[in-house]
Amino acid sequence: MFQIGDNIVYPMHGAGVIEAIEEIDLLEEKQQYYIIKMSINNMKVMIPTSKIVNSRIRPVTDILAINHIIHIFQHGESDTLLPWKQRYKVNADKIKMGEMQEGAEVVRDLRRIKKEKTLNTSEKELLDNAYEFLLSELEVVKGITDRQIKSFC
């Protein structure tokens, strides 16, 4: 599915690059693994090639989708009526899905709330993580301009 050098997004970890595909012998069973270097914390992740579909790893969003996501980020509606615990669960679930649009919505909504009142520690951490994941992907999108990246800042 993926090739060496492909930029990918791993939900809850951000963007990374496939550095290698290696056959590794673990517990007397040989299996092929994707070796992924994540851009956040320079962490390396090994995922069996047979489990890649269920891992929700996906290719980096392309430039055509970015303009739509920017529009949602800047003009989309936020649901600010939810109690914070319910809002936290909804936002955490969006981040776990690993889709750029949903991650941008989390950043947008929590930033809007933050302008009006102080976020609790859990939501503040969720906002920081979502923003870091979003930026890690934006930095590797081919054809994106600095102006487009700044629209998320």
Side-chain angles (χ1 to χ4, degrees):
M1 184 173 165
F2 293 108
Q3 303 297 319
I4 295 171
D6 286 352
N7 288 311
I8 56 88
V9 176
Y10 190 3
M12 302 297 293
H13 296 284
V17 64
I18 306 285
E19 284 194 329
I21 302 171
E22 297 179 3
E23 189 168 86
I24 299 174
D25 190 3
L26 287 177
L27 303 173
E28 298 181 19
E29 184 180 330
K30 287 187 178 188
Q31 203 169 24
Q32 277 201 324
Y33 285 81
Y34 286 108
I35 311 300
I36 306 167
K37 182 176 182 186
M38 306 307 298
S39 61
I40 299 172
N41 300 326
N42 288 322
M43 175 175 59
K44 286 203 179 182
V45 177
M46 294 174 31
I47 299 179
T49 57
S50 62
K51 307 274 186 195
I52 202 76
V53 173
N54 294 332
S55 70
R56 292 195 176 138
I57 289 178
R58 63 173 174 79
V60 169
T61 302
D62 65 19
I63 190 65
L64 298 175
I66 295 293
N67 289 328
H68 174 68
I69 292 168
I70 290 171
H71 180 77
I72 288 169
F73 189 80
Q74 294 173 338
H75 305 291
E77 294 295 318
S78 297
D79 185 3
T80 57
L81 301 176
L82 292 175
W84 84 263
K85 285 184 181 181
Q86 194 174 4
R87 184 176 59 231
Y88 179 84
K89 182 174 179 353
V90 167
N91 286 332
D93 288 345
K94 285 182 177 183
I95 297 297
K96 287 177 189 171
M97 291 303 296
E99 295 299 323
M100 183 181 227
Q101 177 177 330
E102 292 183 347
E105 289 172 2
V106 170
V107 172
R108 175 198 67 204
D109 294 349
L110 290 177
R111 281 187 163 179
R112 287 178 180 172
I113 293 167
K114 186 178 176 182
K115 285 181 183 178
E116 296 173 17
K117 61 183 180 182
T118 304
L119 295 174
N120 65 44
T121 304
S122 298
E123 284 191 305
K124 191 177 197 179
E125 185 177 316
L126 187 66
L127 172 58
D128 291 344
N129 288 336
Y131 184 69
E132 190 173 33
F133 299 152
L134 180 64
L135 280 184
S136 75
E137 181 170 4
L138 287 171
E139 290 170 351
V140 294
V141 172
K142 290 186 181 0
I144 194 168
T145 65
D146 286 339
R147 186 173 147 258
Q148 288 171 311
I149 291 175
K150 287 180 182 167
S151 70
F152 287 96
C153 299

